[in-house]
Amino acid sequence: MKRNTWQREAVRTALGTQMGFVSAQDLHSNLKGTGSQIGLATVYRALGDLATEGEADSLQSPEGESLYRACSTGHHHHLICRGCGLAVEIEADDVEQWAKSVAALHGFSQAEHVVDVFGYCSACVPAVG
Amino acid sequence: MKRNTWQREAVRTALGTQMGFVSAQDLHSNLKGTGSQIGLATVYRALGDLATEGEADSLQSPEGESLYRACSTGHHHHLICRGCGLAVEIEADDVEQWAKSVAALHGFSQAEHVVDVFGYCSACVPAVG
DNA sequence: GGCTTATTGATAATGATTGTCAAAAGCGAT
DNA sequence: ATCGCTTTTGACAATCATTATCAATAAGCC
């Protein structure tokens, strides 16, 4: 049976207070910073569970780190700022349909798609060099 | 100046003979298997260069590995089989437009997007459990 | 053939993530 | 509140991909 531990709750809460995506490592530092003595492995496990249960979104940054964010239910994608981590949820029925049809067209099944847009939000546009 | 080494050529060739995406590690094993004594670091470097020069596509598998594939020029996306690695290049002007407009709509600049579909091709559909 | 310098490659270093396993805590029954 | 069974935790080791290091090598130019 799934048990209710303060650690899991702490992760859920910490994730909820984040405005954007965070890595497990960051979230862990974050928690430690607020006095929590939660372990790193536990944060990974909690995030994994949260993602599995649909309470969190996970995606990979271009650098290959796994990032997580509390999410509303349902399937959606994100527009993520490389500067501040701000994430905007975007609905993309068109893209869903497109992904589905492309997969079907080529005889692929169990299709999963990765659709995310990275850029700099208006507040983070770096000085163009 | 950029020099022409057999190593770089070997990587380019090996990549060209692959039908789908391969990881740097795989490509390295592959090359070693054919008798090449190329070093792992060199394979990483060559792949990175190839990708930078636009001669290869790179993307990240859901597991977080970087995968590479010789590619035609231009920007496009992929439908990748989890089973055999088969990759189908897909053009998606619609998606390009969508990504661009979504980014613009939210004031994001320098938008890059990650759009790939993973699934099982008709030959690799696993027994449904 | 030499010189200069980019490139290589063996290995160490890094860094994220997962596995291990004994100790601790949760939950239901008492 | 306590007991007991099980899940969960957490410190640390292990794993794995990738990058950095740096002396030795080889390209390209004279």
Side-chain angles (χ1 to χ4, degrees):
Chain A
M1 179 207 301
K2 177 70 64 76
R3 290 178 188 177
N4 223 11
T5 64
W6 66 264
Q7 285 96 334
R8 206 177 292 269
E9 198 53 42
V11 169
R12 195 200 310 274
T13 302
L15 198 61
T17 64
Q18 292 291 328
M19 61 173 186
F21 278 83
V22 269
S23 66
Q25 304 274 351
D26 286 346
L27 202 61
H28 179 238
S29 310
N30 209 314
L31 282 161
K32 296 283 264 197
T34 66
S36 176
Q37 280 305 109
I38 193 170
L40 176 58
T42 303
V43 173
Y44 272 97
R45 280 185 290 239
L47 284 174
D49 288 351
L50 249 19
T52 300
E53 294 160 21
E55 291 193 58
D57 258 345
S58 71
L59 61 82
Q60 293 187 1
S61 74
E63 290 76 34
E65 250 184 309
S66 286
L67 303 180
Y68 298 87
R69 186 195 180 197
C71 82
S72 53
T73 48
H75 180 73
H76 52 256
H77 301 289
H78 297 91
L79 175 56
I80 302 118
C81 177
R82 287 182 198 287
C84 62
L86 172 71
V88 180
E89 278 184 18
I90 44 189
E91 284 179 34
D93 284 342
D94 293 349
V95 178
E96 307 296 327
Q97 291 309 318
W98 167 81
K100 206 170 298 183
S101 65
V102 167
L105 179 62
H106 292 276
F108 276 56
S109 54
Q110 296 179 40
E112 247 182 62
H113 54 275
V114 177
V115 175
D116 288 293
V117 184
F118 289 84
Y120 287 97
C121 74
S122 51
C124 293
V125 180
V128 180
Chain B
M1 182 207 299
K2 176 72 61 77
R3 289 178 188 174
N4 223 10
T5 65
W6 65 264
Q7 285 96 334
R8 206 177 293 269
E9 199 52 42
V11 170
R12 195 200 310 274
T13 302
L15 197 60
T17 64
Q18 292 290 328
M19 62 172 187
F21 278 83
V22 269
S23 65
Q25 304 274 351
D26 286 346
L27 201 61
H28 179 238
S29 311
N30 210 316
L31 282 162
K32 296 282 263 197
T34 66
S36 175
Q37 280 304 110
I38 193 170
L40 176 59
T42 303
V43 174
Y44 272 98
R45 278 185 292 240
L47 284 174
D49 288 352
L50 249 21
T52 300
E53 293 159 22
E55 291 192 58
D57 258 344
S58 71
L59 60 81
Q60 293 187 0
S61 75
E63 288 75 34
E65 250 183 310
S66 286
L67 303 180
Y68 298 86
R69 186 194 180 196
C71 80
S72 53
T73 47
H75 180 72
H76 51 255
H77 301 287
H78 296 92
L79 175 56
I80 301 118
C81 177
R82 288 182 198 285
C84 62
L86 173 71
V88 180
E89 278 185 17
I90 43 188
E91 284 179 33
D93 284 341
D94 293 347
V95 177
E96 307 296 326
Q97 292 309 318
W98 168 82
K100 207 170 298 184
S101 66
V102 168
L105 179 63
H106 291 277
F108 276 57
S109 54
Q110 297 178 40
E112 248 182 61
H113 54 274
V114 178
V115 175
D116 288 294
V117 184
F118 288 84
Y120 288 97
C121 75
S122 51
C124 292
V125 180
V128 181

